[in-house]
Amino acid sequence: NEYKEAHKYHEIIPIFQKFRDENLKITLHMGEIPNYQKFPFDKFIPDRISHTHFFTDKDRENYMNLSIPIEICPTSSLLCTHSKSYQDIPFKDIYNHQIKNDKMYNLISINTDDTLLLHTNITNEYYEVAKNYNFDINQMKLFVENSIMMSFEKDEIIKEKLIKKVNQFNMV
């Protein structure tokens, strides 16, 4: 609970570490409200983070410098924040931040939260990103490839096969 600070990071980081010791991957949802608690990345580096709606540019640079992959869930961001359009969601800030600093941050994956509750699916999420940001097919392929590489799949051969399939896709 980032708002009420019910959980102190010094109490939950050892729990995250126990999960990691059991070879589980950790994705932390954070920065979902204004005045969020800043996570101590110097104490624990998650395998991925998600949302970061209200992260400052400095906070973004912090996880970018640590090469922590970020999951973006466009429909969740639109429906669960004060965004009025897809162009207002954090994806724009993250993507623009990487360009603004002339540092390509390719550890962005497009995802979806709760397909049933939000009435969406991953295909729709990719469609909305492509449409609202005018990304071409090559840019969208890059997002898919990044998502594959960032996945928690341990078998690199499977990842390679999936990327090969993505690269075989041609627009008619």
Side-chain angles (χ1 to χ4, degrees):
N1 182 343
E2 293 183 306
Y3 181 69
K4 295 183 179 181
E5 297 188 29
H7 299 288
K8 302 295 182 201
Y9 287 130
H10 71 277
E11 294 173 354
I12 60 174
I13 286 176
I15 297 168
F16 294 148
Q17 189 58 54
K18 283 183 182 182
F19 291 147
R20 176 159 294 147
D21 292 344
E22 294 294 323
N23 294 317
L24 295 173
K25 300 291 186 177
I26 310 292
T27 299
L28 299 180
H29 290 230
M30 58 179 58
E32 296 185 73
I33 61 167
N35 303 315
Y36 58 91
Q37 294 179 65
K38 296 195 186 273
F39 188 80
F41 291 118
D42 60 326
K43 306 280 188 227
F44 184 86
I45 298 177
D47 298 290
R48 291 192 303 230
I49 56 177
S50 190
H51 299 297
T52 70
H53 297 200
F54 294 96
F55 267 39
T56 64
D57 281 351
K58 183 175 179 167
D59 292 335
R60 285 191 181 91
E61 285 180 15
N62 191 16
Y63 73 73
M64 286 178 178
N65 288 332
L66 292 168
S67 298
I68 302 172
I70 180 163
E71 302 174 352
I72 302 298
C73 305
T75 301
S76 175
S77 294
L78 178 66
L79 297 175
C80 299
T81 67
H82 299 291
S83 300
K84 293 180 174 66
S85 73
Y86 280 99
Q87 295 182 353
D88 291 338
I89 65 171
F91 178 85
K92 176 182 172 185
D93 296 333
I94 294 163
Y95 191 78
N96 287 341
H97 187 81
Q98 72 185 22
I99 294 169
K100 179 173 64 178
N101 290 325
D102 201 29
K103 177 182 179 183
M104 187 62 178
Y105 191 71
N106 64 355
L107 298 177
I108 299 172
S109 69
I110 299 168
N111 299 274
T112 185
D113 278 344
D114 202 331
T115 58
L116 186 62
L117 180 66
L118 299 175
H119 303 286
T120 192
N121 58 46
I122 195 65
T123 302
N124 187 63
E125 300 289 24
Y126 275 90
Y127 171 77
E128 292 296 345
V129 167
K131 179 177 81 171
N132 284 287
Y133 298 101
N134 297 315
F135 289 135
D136 64 27
I137 191 67
N138 291 324
Q139 290 168 304
M140 296 310 294
K141 281 183 180 181
L142 182 61
F143 284 122
V144 174
E145 288 179 23
N146 290 344
S147 296
I148 293 167
M149 293 310 297
M150 290 168 43
S151 75
F152 294 152
E153 173 59 56
K154 294 177 184 175
D155 189 335
E156 294 298 320
I157 294 172
I158 291 174
K159 288 181 180 182
E160 289 172 19
K161 286 180 180 179
L162 289 170
I163 288 174
K164 188 174 182 179
K165 283 188 174 271
V166 168
N167 287 318
Q168 290 172 346
F169 178 79
N170 292 315
M171 286 295 292
V172 177

